[in-house]
Amino acid sequence: MIINGMHDIKHFAGISSGGFMRNITRDSNSYYIDGKPGFLISGEFQYFRIPKDDWDKRLDLLIQAGGNCVATYIPWVLHEPVEGVFKSGDQPYRDLEGFLNLCKSKNLPVIARPGPYQYSEMKYNGLPEWLVKEYPEILALDIDGNTMSIGSISYLHPVFLEKTKKWFDYICPIIARYTEKNGGPVTSVQIDNELAGIHEWNGGWDYSPIGMGIGSEDGRYAKFLKRKYSSISAVSKTYDTKYESFANIKPKRDCVPVMDKDYRDFYLSAIAEFCVLLAGWMRDHGIDCDLIHNAGNTSMNPYFLETVSALGDDFILGSDLYYNLNMDWEANNPSPKAVVRTLICHDELKLMGFPPTIYEMQAGSASEWPPILPEDLKCWYMANIAFGMKGVNYYVFTGGPNPERIGADGHIYDYGAGIAADGTVRPVYYAQKEFGTFLNDNSWLSRTEKVSDFYLGLDWEQARCKNDSWEFMQKGLMISSLCASMMPEFIDLGENPMFPLLRFTDKPLVVAASSSMSSGIQKRLIDYVVNGGKLLLVPEIPYLNENFEPCTILADFIGTKTTSFDTSDCEINVCDLVGLVNTGLWKNEALPDDAIPFAFDEISKTNLGWSKTYPNGGKIVWFGMKWRHDKLLYNEMIRRLFGLTGIKSPAVECDNPNIWTVLRSDGKRRMLFIMNLFSSPLEACIKVKEADGSYTDSGNHKLIAMEVKTVEL
Amino acid sequence: MIINGMHDIKHFAGISSGGFMRNITRDSNSYYIDGKPGFLISGEFQYFRIPKDDWDKRLDLLIQAGGNCVATYIPWVLHEPVEGVFKSGDQPYRDLEGFLNLCKSKNLPVIARPGPYQYSEMKYNGLPEWLVKEYPEILALDIDGNTMSIGSISYLHPVFLEKTKKWFDYICPIIARYTEKNGGPVTSVQIDNELAGIHEWNGGWDYSPIGMGIGSEDGRYAKFLKRKYSSISAVSKTYDTKYESFANIKPKRDCVPVMDKDYRDFYLSAIAEFCVLLAGWMRDHGIDCDLIHNAGNTSMNPYFLETVSALGDDFILGSDLYYNLNMDWEANNPSPKAVVRTLICHDELKLMGFPPTIYEMQAGSASEWPPILPEDLKCWYMANIAFGMKGVNYYVFTGGPNPERIGADGHIYDYGAGIAADGTVRPVYYAQKEFGTFLNDNSWLSRTEKVSDFYLGLDWEQARCKNDSWEFMQKGLMISSLCASMMPEFIDLGENPMFPLLRFTDKPLVVAASSSMSSGIQKRLIDYVVNGGKLLLVPEIPYLNENFEPCTILADFIGTKTTSFDTSDCEINVCDLVGLVNTGLWKNEALPDDAIPFAFDEISKTNLGWSKTYPNGGKIVWFGMKWRHDKLLYNEMIRRLFGLTGIKSPAVECDNPNIWTVLRSDGKRRMLFIMNLFSSPLEACIKVKEADGSYTDSGNHKLIAMEVKTVEL
């Protein structure tokens, strides 16, 4: 039974009348608004929570704040409240088409997010109650076979897929009628929501035997392993167990590391399979615009490599980004560590081929305390622009009551939004308006790139497994660099046809390596150096490949191996700097031929670093120390290390390590972002390097707490 | 062999010449400087790191910043560099007596901290290398029998005690010659440093069989258990194991909870035993001033109940307090959560009978990044005064180079101090000077108490085990109260002769209870209500005693029991407020006779709260919900709950829940502290209640980020 209110049909009739609709397009770098470079500025506007009488007024407020797009979940739980009973338009809060038509009339493109999941502080994460209660077999299971949470299902469970397909069979045709090509406002449609989150946040990957196809010869787990290992003897050998068949292989705790890694890769390939299915259903129903997905946070971006590859063009991966969602989060404000995550986030999305888009950008919080304050938000937004954000959707732009008791978090879903549940305009709105005005006044910024001083090698495997080296890269390398005014830019160490490694020999490449590195990356790094690239390698020279098997391709090229050693009584000397504190040390077996040492332990006289030049100008600088940035001396140390790779001076010189700067340029115009991410006032003298190598003094800058200042040069 | 430089002997001769020396005394509430009420304002001034030539100048800077005291470690490692070779005065950095004489000449009392431990970012936490390397048997062991860290020893290991005694035999006579009674500057001497820290931070309690006396019939562990259980059959029954003798009892993982708790209490009694030994040696050598100890942080204060009781008068427990020591700490600034810890800290120290003293107050950090900034520090200091601090020692006031490679953290120990290692004056110094001036200009504040609206029951057992209820008390009750302008004051639920419970029936008492509560506290709470006290009990009514045995004294008095129930689909109504979110619910077996319900789940109609009045005006308000303060609605909820206990209006009314206020009064003068602990500007209208119940409008207050404003009323 499908109930479609008369109201909607009238509105549906309305869209065929055509007329101008704002057009949002994009390339791999940025967005174009009606063909002109600009920022995507969207606000999450949930028609089912915002009182319908207020839609018009609040959409106008979004437009006045510089908005050029809206986004909304389309909750399965509301549109199929009883299994098989689909509803739309019968209640103001279910009037999806009325909303789409209103957006069209206001020339506002729409990002539609029909699930199946919404999360959004709804019961069962937005799934219908009948689904999770009547079909408990669809629930995800952890590695011990326990259910995680009643809102966590197994994506590929056949029953879940069957029910999801019916939901899509209902909702996708409605959305399809409103895509841009059909004269409607829908500019993109989101596939599910923050995939993997319902598992990772509730106990780990999903191990449901049915959903994940574990325990049968033709299950998808067996198929994945067959593709990788071909024979049961090969997988038995690698997993150090005797299996009789692929059907016998079951994921377990305390297994060899490669089995864990394989399961993670398998799980992420299952996510891709799920996305391909959903995308197929959307396309089948005529949804012809970009499909998108929002990684739950920066650390989840790397989970979608298989998905991105499987979905090809007409798909955008973006990310959700918050600095505080409740009192248990690290800081109440956008701290330097939070801002480092934004840098990683935008660079990762760019390397995947997308204009970096934050589909859920903090604009409030489900927690009303600690408060999300307007000055902090302005700082957060501007820091994101500095580090490369090209599109933003405020989550949420406005709030309202939860219809039909769908809320898991009280009756009013207000989220501290700029426009409150009752329509009150809050200070947060003016922060957004100021930000929107800035973006629209400086739309040229959307075509800029950050001016970087060096490349930082992104090994997606590290980003996925978040090992010690990944942590060192952030807490050591990146923070030391940012404090020393040396701006990193991530490049993909994988085989990326869009961004081949050899294109990036103009600046040094820094790689934070661990004991394992894929043979492909080892080879590419050799290739890089052989072709004149300058490589700073810290702290280990890998001796294992991606499957943790012996692999010394890079070590053999270099001519030495590294081993860790006790750090309890050392006096590290790096380029004549003494007084450094390490969090781990590696020594090499022997100094490679013609290598010039620059670092050693003064107690044991152990060599800790050397540089070696190769025939065509390529260079390897190896430094065997990990650190956490907690000494000002690291600023000088990192500068001297970079000096060895050939960087004489950075693009920006800032005399206060606590003030971070980003220079953005489109080749003609430049803008300098100056950031105080602390709660005390700070000041700095800042100079910017010109094409001829000279520096222009931009003056002394005084910043109040949590201020991002911009200077156009 | 004892080497005492001529230099020292000369200086020692000097002190007998007498002359006026500033006198610092104290009662259980506050300090007296030369007999007049005032704050203890000390700076950690480590003679062994500060260049001797600069002592004079830097001590003057401390005095100019309002300082009236200095503190210093006296490192064993430096004064006994080789076993049996004691040195003092032979090098400028070992000239302890020169330093003490200089302090005397400047009329600056000294807090001497001779260890055995210093920590202080020294190798082996300040123990001599020969000690930890040549006597590895003294190392502490974790529950699995593994050593923790080479700097973690077992306090009561006979070899460690023997070596420590020799160190004290050398150093204590020197210190004793300089106590106030002997005309010297030493006003107090610290027993060891942050006891329990070297174990808790490195793997748990110490389980060294020798040090802790485990595994022998007359070991101190067996003796402890005999005192508690008398017979081996009694302990076997309680521990649910068959032991043949006390010598057989070994602490183990996954045991019954009471065995864990007993071991913790035993460990803490061993700490007390260690302190009594050290104190005895100090007294034997003529140290006749106050002895002190510094708990490592707020959560460690409760570890010293046995110590405080064993040492009696002439002992002060203080605490160390930092809001950030490296980038892995929660926030870079004094956040509301950090400030809640200061409230707990000062109230706990007060309840133990001491003027709340912070023996190490953040004045920098061993991590130079994230920076400790002056405005944040000012905010932190003022918030501490607001919540009751009476004495402070800046850690560190100034820095310098580490002599003899004792540093575990680089050569220069600067700590971002107000006076840098090279003597440079940093902005932090001016923040301290402003603070010191404020304290000296307002010395009357040292005799004030914070004006509270209600009492919060402190169950030391909860504070020690840090269970769910302890967390709820902080993240739910306390933060909701502070956001609602309702000021708590801790009172001791234990049998405290200084603060008997029945003295506190003038305001309601709030108790965050868990399933277990000692029978003594259960009885005292009944007594409290029977004698007219008004009790708000959340969320559980206990049914176990302190040993986790059935104990329903309080439940029997009340006439009902509570059990937890599923919270997944509830709509809580508390005093007609709907939309609250809980983190745990308890229902009662039956409504007690004459109880008036006020809270229920609208879905299941389960009662969640009632109040009952007793014949003499006593009252119990029971509310079966835990929460985390993340909704503004809790402000109203907590006010209505307090309304049921009889609080009509609080001492201060503040219309912005993000601004916290503290009113301090000495009965005549009052000062209002207004705090913005966020990084955005905030404002509030604030009214203060007068004796007649009317409110005085203190006006509209605009605060910048991290500002604490004061208004004298």
Side-chain angles (χ1 to χ4, degrees), chain A residues 637-659:
Chain A
M637 181 191 80
I638 200 109
R639 288 209 160 210
R640 294 195 189 177
L641 287 176
F642 281 127
L644 293 171
T645 66
I647 301 183
K648 293 281 175 290
S649 59
V652 180
E653 285 279 11
C654 172
D655 68 353
N656 185 340
N658 299 320
I659 287 187

Side-chain angles (χ1 to χ4, degrees), chain B residues 17-69:
Chain B
S17 63
F20 173 76
M21 180 67 220
R22 176 180 291 129
N23 173 265
I24 297 182
T25 53
R26 51 106 189 173
D27 57 22
S28 62
N29 179 293
S30 66
Y31 289 93
Y32 298 83
I33 314 299
D34 290 331
K36 291 186 199 121
F39 291 92
L40 172 75
I41 309 172
S42 175
E44 180 79 11
F45 195 106
Q46 298 170 344
Y47 63 94
F48 52 96
R49 280 167 166 152
I50 320 304
K52 188 173 175 179
D53 291 348
D54 253 22
W55 287 355
D56 189 84
K57 194 179 107 201
R58 296 193 198 181
L59 286 173
D60 285 346
L61 283 165
L62 175 61
I63 293 166
Q64 285 157 27
N68 51 31
C69 188

Side-chain angles (χ1 to χ4, degrees), chain A residues 328 330 368 475 630 632, chain B residues 328 330 368 475 630 632:
Chain A
D328 292 327
E330 209 167 67
E368 291 164 349
K475 294 186 179 174
D630 53 16
L632 294 176
Chain B
D328 292 328
E330 209 167 67
E368 291 165 348
K475 295 186 178 174
D630 53 15
L632 295 177

Side-chain angles (χ1 to χ4, degrees), chain B residues 147-421:
Chain B
T147 55
M148 297 177 172
S149 130
I150 192 165
S152 298
I153 55 79
S154 185
Y155 293 124
L156 291 169
H157 193 287
V159 174
F160 179 65
L161 291 179
E162 176 203 328
K163 306 299 174 192
T164 299
K165 179 146 196 324
K166 286 185 181 157
W167 160 236
F168 271 33
D169 285 346
Y170 170 74
I171 200 69
C172 289
I174 298 176
I175 297 169
R177 294 202 295 270
Y178 289 85
T179 61
E180 284 178 351
K181 284 189 193 152
N182 290 323
V186 173
T187 183
S188 58
V189 179
Q190 182 178 301
I191 299 171
D192 209 60
N193 188 56
E194 297 183 347
L195 277 156
I198 43 152
H199 301 143
E200 181 166 301
W201 304 326
N202 287 292
W205 313 125
D206 169 28
Y207 295 85
S208 160
I210 305 293
M212 299 302 286
I214 300 168
S216 75
E217 197 68 23
D218 61 347
R220 55 173 61 82
Y221 183 48
K223 282 183 192 157
F224 175 90
L225 293 173
K226 279 178 196 167
R227 264 198 308 279
K228 176 161 180 178
Y229 292 101
S230 305
S231 74
I232 190 67
S233 59
V235 68
S236 290
K237 187 172 166 229
T238 306
Y239 287 5
D240 199 20
T241 314
K242 276 227 165 301
Y243 296 110
E244 281 167 24
S245 74
F246 281 97
N248 288 131
I249 307 177
K250 299 225 167 82
K252 58 180 183 184
R253 290 194 186 276
D254 303 321
C255 55
V256 290
V258 65
M259 188 175 187
D260 261 347
K261 174 181 178 290
D262 282 346
Y263 195 84
R264 181 206 64 202
D265 289 345
F266 162 63
Y267 171 85
L268 297 175
S269 75
I271 295 249
E273 187 181 340
F274 181 56
C275 286
V276 167
L277 266 174
L278 297 183
W281 297 340
M282 288 174 171
R283 296 297 186 210
D284 288 348
H285 285 297
I287 291 178
D288 50 13
C289 54
D290 266 342
L291 301 183
I292 65 166
H293 182 69
N294 57 333
N297 57 50
T298 300
S299 75
M300 288 176 157
N301 289 345
Y303 293 178
F304 296 97
L305 292 173
E306 290 85 348
T307 300
V308 166
S309 158
L311 289 177
D313 293 341
D314 309 324
F315 174 72
I316 307 176
L317 182 76
S319 193
D320 295 350
L321 200 53
Y322 296 89
Y323 58 83
N324 183 290
L325 284 176
N326 65 50
M327 70 168 85
D328 292 328
W329 282 49
E330 209 167 67
N332 296 334
N333 46 32
S335 68
K337 273 168 74 188
V339 164
V340 164
R341 288 195 295 274
T342 75
L343 188 166
I344 296 172
C345 186
H346 300 310
D347 271 12
E348 282 180 346
L349 295 174
K350 186 180 148 189
L351 287 180
M352 287 180 173
F354 307 116
T357 309
I358 302 303
Y359 285 118
E360 291 187 19
M361 167 56 92
Q362 182 129 39
S365 164
S367 301
E368 291 165 348
W369 197 94
I372 303 300
L373 296 169
E375 278 74 8
D376 294 344
L377 278 182
K378 256 193 297 186
C379 172
W380 183 235
Y381 297 159
M382 290 299 285
N384 270 275
I385 292 297
F387 282 114
M389 180 172 73
K390 301 295 174 77
V392 60
N393 178 47
Y394 302 123
Y395 193 92
V396 296
F397 176 72
T398 178
N402 280 311
E404 296 189 3
R405 295 186 49 247
I406 57 168
D409 197 26
H411 179 56
I412 299 293
Y413 191 74
D414 184 292
Y415 220 78
I419 312 300

Side-chain angles (χ1 to χ4, degrees), chain A residues 593-614:
Chain A
D593 295 341
D594 306 321
I596 302 164
F598 66 83
F600 59 96
D601 167 25
E602 295 197 341
I603 311 300
S604 64
K605 306 295 173 199
T606 311
N607 177 267
L608 294 170
W610 46 257
S611 66
K612 179 173 173 172
T613 306
Y614 290 84

